[in-house]
Amino acid sequence: MRVARKGRAATVLIAVTGASCGPPGNVETTVADSAGVAIVTNVGEPTVLRWTLDTVRIFGGEESGPATFHLAQPSLVDVDSQGRIYVLEPFEYRVTVFDSTGAPLGSMGRQGEGPGELEWAMSVSVRDDGRAYVHDGAGQIVELRMGDQAGTESAFNYAVILASLRHVEATSRGFLIWARRRINPTGPNVGHDDWVERLLSVTGRDTVELISGKSSHSTTAYYPRCSFTFSIRRPLAPQNRWSHWGDRVALTAWGGFRIDILDDHRLDTSVRWAGVGDRELTRSEAKALLEARGYLGPCDDDLDETLEKHGFHPRPQLVGELAVAPDGYVWAQLLTRDNAFRVLLLDPEGRIAGVLPDGFPMPLTFLPDGRPLIAVVDSLDIERIGVGRVVR
């Protein structure tokens, strides 16, 4: 149930109970209305939830057969309402479907440039009816169905879909697309002011609605060492990351701590954590953080030189991957200065419900019964899918 918010603010004191055996923690939450969007501001330290995760099944990484995939990343894995697991293998040009036990059910797609064929597969998103949509190349979305090798293909030529991380989500209403657009296409220079990133709702081939937008935080510099002029994302600039279950989507694309929640292609809730990540970094702090993350500039350039040419985003992104659970909770990966992370839980209203212990894995997505799917990485960096069971 939504906290009353029309025309006034509400304050709720959240104390997590029952699921926690750790020290007590309280988060004070203020909910205010802004043009029909609930602005949820959390203040305080959350309770540590003493949950553990048992991995009951692992599949993938085989030398032959349908389970040969070796990458298990959020952009490459999705689940439908029947519990079928879809894994995109970009270099095999196919989507393989497994049941909830990891048993293979079949595959879709093949290499090529025609309908139902893949050339540069980036991510997969699945609707509840089992239709899989693969973002393939610049602006192409390929629809795949089990048993239908022909497939269909749709071209979105009005925007450049970002070729990084997860950037297309298929819902029952259509698509949500994170795209970029050149604001000044005839200008002499390509700089960070020439591009804007936009979240678009596509509910028909010609029905497009702007949800939000921001600067792309790109800059251009010449590197004589490798004889190239690079237009790159400014170091520490935020990237778009999102997840969905059904028509509920959680998105983060900003510095500091901010998570937007969309329902039915409408921005419904914007979550903040006051005081967390608000302070801007100094240059020495930015350099230390980039070094901790193993950042390499163009041509493996010297870090000081990269910062001199491109600057840096002063408020780094504190939210990494997101995972929306079937119960409406949002699991958020909190990034730290040493590139480690913890997992934070938001309840369906956007209030902080607690933080999980160090080392608790970030889910890729969930099965309909709430069991998380996680990436299990071996010593050879082969990623398999693990089916987990949360012990509370």
Side-chain angles (χ1 to χ4, degrees):
M1 180 179 295
R2 168 57 47 80
V3 177
R5 58 183 171 84
K6 294 298 182 182
R8 65 181 186 273
T11 300
V12 184
L13 188 64
I14 306 300
V16 180
T17 60
S20 175
C21 300
N26 292 319
V27 176
E28 184 177 293
T29 301
T30 300
V31 184
D33 177 78
S34 176
V37 177
I39 307 298
V40 180
T41 303
N42 297 278
V43 181
E45 290 297 322
T47 298
V48 177
L49 306 174
R50 301 300 184 187
W51 297 1
T52 59
L53 182 74
D54 291 340
T55 303
V56 298
R57 192 172 298 107
I58 298 175
F59 64 98
E62 303 292 340
E63 294 184 0
S64 61
T68 56
F69 65 88
H70 60 276
L71 293 175
Q73 301 171 0
S75 60
L76 305 179
V77 179
D78 206 359
V79 174
D80 66 18
S81 60
Q82 302 302 312
R84 294 176 293 230
I85 303 167
Y86 297 70
V87 182
L88 171 62
E89 297 178 77
F91 305 111
E92 298 295 333
Y93 308 97
R94 69 184 181 190
V95 174
T96 304
V97 185
F98 302 86
D99 67 15
S100 60
T101 70
L105 300 175
S107 63
M108 305 174 288
R110 57 179 178 266
Q111 186 176 11
E113 301 180 23
E117 297 178 337
L118 306 176
E119 185 178 13
W120 183 29
M122 303 292 297
S123 68
V124 63
S125 186
V126 181
R127 289 182 177 157
D128 286 344
D129 61 6
R131 285 179 291 173
Y133 294 88
V134 176
H135 172 220
D136 187 62
Q140 302 297 317
I141 298 177
V142 179
E143 178 184 312
L144 300 174
R145 303 189 192 191
M146 287 286 289
D148 180 8
Q149 291 299 318
T152 59
E153 187 170 33
S154 301
F156 296 93
N157 297 320
Y158 53 80
V160 177
I161 303 175
L162 288 179
S164 62
L165 303 177
R166 195 180 186 101
H167 38 270
V168 175
E169 288 288 1
T171 71
S172 65
R173 294 191 58 191
F175 298 98
L176 287 166
I177 297 173
W178 194 259
R180 66 179 179 180
R181 179 183 179 186
R182 183 85 173 272
I183 296 176
N184 183 21
T186 60
N189 300 314
V190 178
H192 69 277
D193 291 329
D194 292 326
W195 294 90
V196 65
E197 297 181 5
R198 308 178 300 164
L199 178 61
L200 304 174
S201 168
V202 182
T203 54
R205 192 170 184 85
D206 299 317
T207 305
V208 182
E209 180 183 0
L210 174 66
I211 304 298
S212 67
K214 70 180 184 68
S215 168
S216 64
H217 303 299
S218 295
T219 57
T220 301
Y222 177 62
Y223 287 80
R225 184 179 309 163
C226 51
S227 300
F228 279 108
T229 299
F230 287 96
S231 179
I232 68 170
R233 194 174 64 91
R234 182 172 294 167
L236 295 179
Q239 300 184 50
N240 62 294
R241 294 178 171 91
W242 58 5
S243 175
H244 83 122
W245 184 267
D247 288 342
R248 184 174 176 86
V249 176
L251 163 74
T252 184
W254 300 273
F257 185 98
R258 173 180 167 183
I259 298 172
D260 283 356
I261 299 173
L262 296 88
D263 285 306
D264 295 323
H265 287 219
R266 183 181 69 88
L267 179 58
D268 184 73
T269 304
S270 188
V271 181
R272 312 289 201 276
W273 190 359
V276 178
D278 292 339
R279 184 178 67 83
E280 294 188 353
L281 299 181
T282 65
R283 177 162 173 165
S284 61
E285 290 173 330
K287 181 180 178 181
L289 180 55
L290 289 166
E291 287 176 338
R293 295 183 177 181
Y295 176 84
L296 296 175
C299 308
D300 295 343
D301 198 37
D302 177 78
L303 185 53
D304 286 314
E305 186 177 351
T306 298
L307 293 176
E308 180 67 28
K309 291 181 177 180
H310 291 280
F312 63 93
H313 195 274
R315 295 181 64 238
Q317 196 169 24
L318 294 186
V319 183
E321 299 294 349
L322 295 169
V324 180
D327 59 6
Y329 274 68
V330 177
W331 296 46
Q333 182 188 59
L334 293 179
L335 302 177
T336 65
R337 293 286 179 91
D338 58 359
N339 209 33
F341 70 88
R342 298 185 78 179
V343 180
L344 184 79
L345 265 63
L346 302 178
D347 73 9
E349 300 294 334
R351 302 170 296 201
I352 293 178
V355 64
L356 296 176
D358 289 341
F360 199 102
M362 181 65 195
L364 298 166
T365 185
F366 295 86
L367 292 172
D369 61 8
R371 286 180 295 164
L373 301 183
I374 62 170
V376 180
V377 185
D378 66 14
S379 59
L380 299 178
D381 290 333
I382 294 176
E383 300 172 357
R384 297 175 172 86
I385 293 177
V387 180
R389 180 174 64 89
V390 177
V391 180
R392 308 186 181 188

